Amino acid sequence: MRCWLKIEEMALEELMQRLNAVFQCADEIMHQDIIPLYAADIQDQLKKQFAYLSGGRGGDGCPVITFPDYPAFSEIPEKEFQNVLTYLTSIPSLRDAGIGFILVIDRRQDKWTSVKASILRIAASFPGNLQLVLVLRPTGFFHRALSDIAFRFNKDELKMKVPIIMLGSVSELQGYIDKTQLTEDLGGTLDYCHNRWLSRRTAIEGFAQKVKQTAQILQSFGTELAETELPNDVQSTSSLLATHTEKKDKMKEDIRVAVEQGNDILGSITKPVTENPDYKLNQDQLDNQTTVERLLAQLHETETAFDEFWMKHQQKLEQCLRLRNFEQNFREVKAALDIVSERLSAFTDVGNSRSHVEHILKDLANFKEKSDETVTKAKMLASERDAFIQSNHYAVDSIIPKCSELHHLCDAFTTETERRRKLLNKSLELHDLLEKSMKWCDEGIYLLASQPVDKCQSQDGAESALQEIEKFLDTGAGNKIKELNKIYEEYAHILNEDLKEHVQKVFQKQESMEEMFQKRQVSLKKLAAKQTRPVQPVAPRPEAFVKSPCTSPGLQRENVSNSESSALRRVNYRKGKSEITELHQSRGGSTMDDEENLAVLRQHVMNELIETERAYVEELLCVLEGYAAEMDNPLMAHLISPELQNKKDILFGNMEEIYHFHNRIFLRELETYVEYPELVGRCFLDQMEDFQIYEKYCQNKPRSESLWRQFSDSVFFQECQRKLDHKLSLDSYLLKPVQRITKYQLLLKEMLKYSKNCEGAEDLQEALTSILGILKAVNDSMHQIAITGYDGNLNELGKLLMQGSFNVWTDHKKGHTKVKDLARFKPMQRHLFLHEKAVLFCKKREENGEGYEKAPSYSYKHSLNMAAVGITENVKGDAKKFEIWYNAREEVYIVQAPTPEVKATWVNEIRKVLTSQLQACREASQHRTLEQTQSLPLPLPASSCASPSRNHIRNTKKMEEKKADLTSLEGCGTTVAPKYPEKGKGWAKPSHSLDASEENDGWSSAEEALNSSDAEEEGGGGAGEMKLTPGKYTVVTDYDKGVSEEFTVKSGDLVQLIREGEDGLWFVKNLSSGKEGWIPASNLLMLIGNSNSAQSLSSSESGTASSNFSTSSSCSDSCNVSSTSFSDIKG
C-alpha cells in the first residue's frame, strides 16, 4: 500500500512537470513571456488600421510595417498608439525582429506638417529595432516642394537611428522593397486583408489560450484525483470510479474540441495552398502555420501526459474496487461458512435406531449438498489469490491471509463433515448388528413358541425339535453379539448412555433367549432319551383337584395341591417359572413349556409394542421436521400458496403435542417394562389422561383432510416429499395418530390373552377397558361435533354417554289422531345422543364428497330433559324396542334398536342416569329432614342431577337407617323435577299405554314419591330384609366368588334370578356375558342391594328397591356391544 502511494505521488509529480512545460511552451510560442498582449485586448485599436503588419519582407527578411494614410493619425491616443506598435513588433519571430523592421509611411495625401509630426511620433514611440524608414511624401506640387525644402532644413531634427528616405512615388518604393512584398495600395501584389489578418490572429491566440487552459485544468483534475481518499465499501468505490471516469471523459472531450479548433485554424492558413498548389504563403502566414502546429504539438503532449496519469489512477481505483468486492465476498462467505459449521456442530446425535440413523444420514447428506454451494464459493474466492499476485495488486499483503483462512475453513468443514458421516455409518453398523441380534432373538422366540408341546412328548418329536433348535443356534454366528466388551471398545467413540443401555438390553435379551434355548434343550434331551418303560398317565383325583384363578391352563391339567397353587399365585412370572420347572420335571415338562410359550409370546407382543412405538415417534418427527417446520422456512415460502399460509395448525392439528408426549414420556415409560411385559398395563393406566389429546386431533381431522384435498398437488408438498424420499404422500402420515390409537387396544388384547394368570392381568384388563373407553369417547365426539342447528351449548348437557341410530315412532297424548296413527306405521330415522342431562333427537344427513366431507351430519330436531324422562324397557311384540317417555307420558317415543344387545346397553345406561338423579333427590331430601330435626345446616348438592360420591352415598345410607322414620321424598319432587306450567309440579305419575302395561311397566327418576316411600315402609326400610324373587336385576358391585369359578359379574351387569336351590343358593344367569352359576343368597343380596327388578321397576314388586342402583356410568362397560366404532372416523 505504501509502495502504491509512492507511485501515485510520482505519477502526479510527473504530470505536473509535463503540463507546466506545455504552459511555458505556449507562452513562448506566442511570445507572451515577453509581451503579454493579445489581439483581443486591443481589437478596436487594431481595427483603426493606422499601422499594420502586412507580412511583406525586405531584401534581408526584415518585417515591413506599413503606416497607411490615416487623416486622424495625430488624434490617436498615445496609449493606443503604443499598444498597436508593441503588439505588431511582437508578432514576427525573434530572429526576424532582431534584424530590424522596415517602416513604410504613406503620406501622399497629407501635408508636410503632418508628415513631420508622424515621423517624429513614430520615431519617439517605436519599440523595436529599425533598419529603414521609407516615407512617401505628399504628391501635391506645393507640399512636395515644401517637404523637400523643409526636410533639408529639418534633417537634423528628424534624425533617427536609421536613415529616413523620402520617396516621391510608388515606383521608387519598389526599388527598396520587392513588388511582391508590397500590398496593392502601394502598387504591390501582396494579398492582404486587414480584417482577415485580425480574425486569424485572434483565433491563433485564442487557441493558444485554450492549450494553456487545458493544461491548467488537467493539473487541477490530476491533483484532485491523487488527493481523493479510497472508500471502504463497494458501492462508494464504484460510485467514485464512475464519477472520475465521467470527469475524465469530459476532459478528453475538451481536448478533442481544442485539437479540432487548432486543426481548423491550420486548415484556414493552408487553404490557399490546398486550393492552388502554385500559391506560396508569405512569411507571416508561414509563421502562423508554424505557431499553430507547435501549439497542436503541445496540446498532444498535454493529452498524452494526462492519459498516462489516468491509466495509473484508473488502475488504482479498479484495484480498490476489486479489493472491496473481495472483502465483501470474504465477509459473506465467511459468515456462511460459520453458519454451516455451526449447523454441522448440531449433528451430534448418533441415533437411537437404524431408521433414526438413516434419517440423520439423509439429513447430513442434504445438508452437505446445500452447503457445497457455500464451500465452492469460498474455494473460488480463495483461488483469486494468484490473480491478485499476478496483477501486482497494491493490497496483496492483506489479501493472501484472507485466502489462506478460507482454504483452512473449507478444509476444516469438509473434514468435520466426513468425520460426522463416518460416525453415523459406524452407528448404522452398530444398529444393524443390534437389529440382527434382535431379529435373531425374535426368530428364536417364534421357534420356541411354534414347537407344539404334544408332539414333543414323543421321542421322535423331541429329537426333531432338538434338531430345529440346534440348527437355529448355528445361525447365530453372524447374527448375535459375541462379546460385549469388544462392542464397547469398537464403538466407544459413538456410545452414549442411551445407546450403551440399548446395547446392554439387546445383549441381555440375547442371553435370556439363549438361556431359554438351553433349558428347552435340556427338557428335549430328556424326552429324546430312550425310556426303559412306558409312562402310564394317571388321572388326577377329583378331591385333590382345586381350581385357582391364578394357575395356568397347564397347571389345571396336573394334580397340583392347594398349597402349590397358592404358592404359584404369590410369585411373579420369573420366580414361578423356575418353581414350576422344578415341580414338574418328572412330568415331561409340559407345564414348563406352556409357561415358556406364554412368556415368549408376551415378550414378542412387548417387542412389537416398543418397536412400533419407536417407529411411530420417528414418523411423527419426520412429518414435523419435513413438512410442518418447512412451512415456516423462508427459503420455501415461494412454494406455498397464499391460501395455504398460516394454516399449519389446521393441517397438522396437535401432532406436535402428540409427538412430545410419546417421545418424552410414553416411549421411555414403555421401555422400562421391556423385561416385565405382563405389567405393562400399569404404564397405560399411569398415562391414560394424556391419551385424551387424541380426541382433539381426531376432531380436527375433517378440517385437515379438507385442506389437504385442496392443496394436495401443491409444489411445496411435492418438494418436501422429494427431500424426505417418502413413497407415500403427507395424508398417509397424517393418518398415523388415528391408526396408532386403535392399535393399542389390539396389542393390549394380545398381551392380556397371554397374561391371564399373571399378577398384572387386572391392570391389563383395566387398561384395555380405558383405551376402549377413549376410542368410544373419540368416536362419540366425532359424531357430536357434526350436530347442526342446536342453539345451546352442548357442553352444558354433561358428558356424552351414548350415541347411535334408531327407528323412532311417536305416540303423544296431544296431537291429531291421524298423525298418531300414521306414526305407528311409518318410523322416523333418528340419531340419538344420550347426555347426562338430556337426550337429543337428530336427523342423520349423508353428505356428498370424498373422505371426511362424506361424513354424515346431524340436524338437531328436539331434546328431552333427563330430569323428566322415564323409560319402559320392553315393548310387546319386539325385543329390540323400548320406550322413552317424557313428563308423565305426555310424549312417548318408541325406539327400535338395531339389535337386542344395543337396546340392552342403552336401557342400562339410561337407567344409570335416572338412578343417579333419583339418588341425588333422596340425599337432598335427607339433608333437609336432618336440618329440620337437628336445627343444623347441612350442605345441599350443587346439582340435583349430579352423581354423588361413594362416601357420600355410604354416609347417606347410614343416615337412612338411623332416621328411617324421618325419611320422606315429598320435598324431592319440587326440588329436582323441572317446573312445567301446564303439567304441574312434583314427580309425574306414570301413565301406561295398553301395549306397554300388558307385559311390564316403565320407570323414571321422576316417579311419584309417595309410591316409593310406601314401598319402603312395606319393605321394612332395610336392604337386608329384602325378599329375593325371580326376575332381572342390575348388579351394583363386582363379584368373582361364586360356586362356579367361571361365573363372575361386574357392576352394571344385568342378571336374571332363575330359581332358588338348596342351602340358600340361587341359580343366576349373567345376561351380559351369558354365563350361569350358583350364588349364595347372602351374597346375592349384597350384589343387587335395593336394585329394582328390571322387569317392572314401577310395579308393586319393585316397591322395596327404589334407589340404590350403581352410580357408575363408565362408557367402557358398553364398548364391546355398541354399534359405533372408531373406524367411523377413519378417512
Side-chain angles (χ1 to χ4, degrees), residues 454-485:
D454 53 348
K455 293 184 179 180
C456 294
Q457 301 300 320
S458 65
Q459 183 175 357
D460 293 339
E463 290 178 352
S464 175
L466 193 59
Q467 289 176 1
E468 288 181 356
I469 291 177
E470 291 174 351
K471 184 178 179 180
F472 174 77
L473 290 176
D474 292 339
T475 64
N479 295 322
K480 68 177 183 178
I481 301 175
K482 297 179 181 178
E483 295 185 23
L484 193 60
N485 291 333

Side-chain angles (χ1 to χ4, degrees), residues 350-396:
V350 293
N352 53 23
S353 65
R354 176 183 175 82
S355 60
H356 190 194
V357 177
E358 289 176 344
H359 182 69
I360 297 175
L361 274 171
K362 187 176 180 181
D363 288 346
L364 182 62
N366 292 336
F367 169 73
K368 186 178 182 303
E369 182 180 353
K370 294 178 182 178
S371 302
D372 282 344
E373 181 180 355
T374 300
V375 175
T376 303
K377 187 176 180 180
K379 289 182 177 179
M380 290 179 62
L381 186 62
S383 64
E384 295 182 9
R385 177 182 61 179
D386 296 337
F388 280 109
I389 296 175
Q390 292 176 2
S391 63
N392 294 321
H393 197 281
Y394 67 87
V396 69

Side-chain angles (χ1 to χ4, degrees), residues 574-591:
R574 297 187 178 279
K575 184 176 180 182
K577 184 175 67 174
S578 61
E579 291 181 358
I580 295 171
T581 302
E582 296 174 358
L583 184 63
H584 298 288
Q585 285 181 349
S586 61
R587 303 195 177 250
S590 61
T591 302

Side-chain angles (χ1 to χ4, degrees), residues 302-368:
T302 300
E303 184 177 12
T304 302
F306 177 72
D307 287 344
E308 292 178 359
F309 173 78
W310 170 256
M311 187 182 302
K312 296 177 181 178
H313 180 72
Q314 185 182 27
Q315 181 183 7
K316 180 187 72 171
L317 288 180
E318 289 176 348
Q319 287 187 352
C320 179
L321 179 61
R322 187 177 178 187
L323 175 63
R324 299 299 178 247
N325 277 315
F326 173 82
E327 291 174 344
Q328 179 175 332
N329 292 335
F330 173 80
R331 288 191 295 269
E332 293 175 355
V333 168
K334 188 175 183 302
L337 284 176
D338 292 340
I339 291 174
V340 297
S341 298
E342 182 179 355
R343 291 180 179 175
L344 179 62
S345 63
F347 282 87
T348 57
D349 196 354
V350 293
N352 53 23
S353 65
R354 176 183 175 82
S355 60
H356 190 194
V357 177
E358 289 176 344
H359 182 69
I360 297 175
L361 274 171
K362 187 176 180 181
D363 288 346
L364 182 62
N366 292 336
F367 169 73
K368 186 178 182 303

Side-chain angles (χ1 to χ4, degrees), residues 165-176:
I165 301 174
M166 301 296 291
L167 301 176
S169 63
V170 175
S171 57
E172 292 179 3
L173 177 62
Q174 293 176 355
Y176 292 93

Side-chain angles (χ1 to χ4, degrees), residues 13-49:
E13 185 178 353
E14 180 183 356
L15 176 66
M16 294 302 164
Q17 290 176 356
R18 295 176 68 176
L19 293 180
N20 285 331
V22 170
F23 192 88
Q24 293 174 2
C25 287
D27 285 341
E28 182 182 348
I29 292 169
M30 298 304 296
H31 301 161
Q32 298 299 320
D33 54 339
I34 301 175
I35 303 175
L37 194 62
Y38 298 95
D41 298 334
I42 58 173
Q43 186 174 6
D44 294 338
Q45 301 168 21
L46 291 173
K47 284 181 179 180
K48 293 179 180 180
Q49 202 176 348

Side-chain angles (χ1 to χ4, degrees), residues 675-687:
E675 297 298 328
Y676 311 99
E678 64 276 6
L679 303 179
V680 75
R682 175 50 51 192
C683 178
F684 279 89
L685 293 176
D686 291 342
Q687 311 301 329

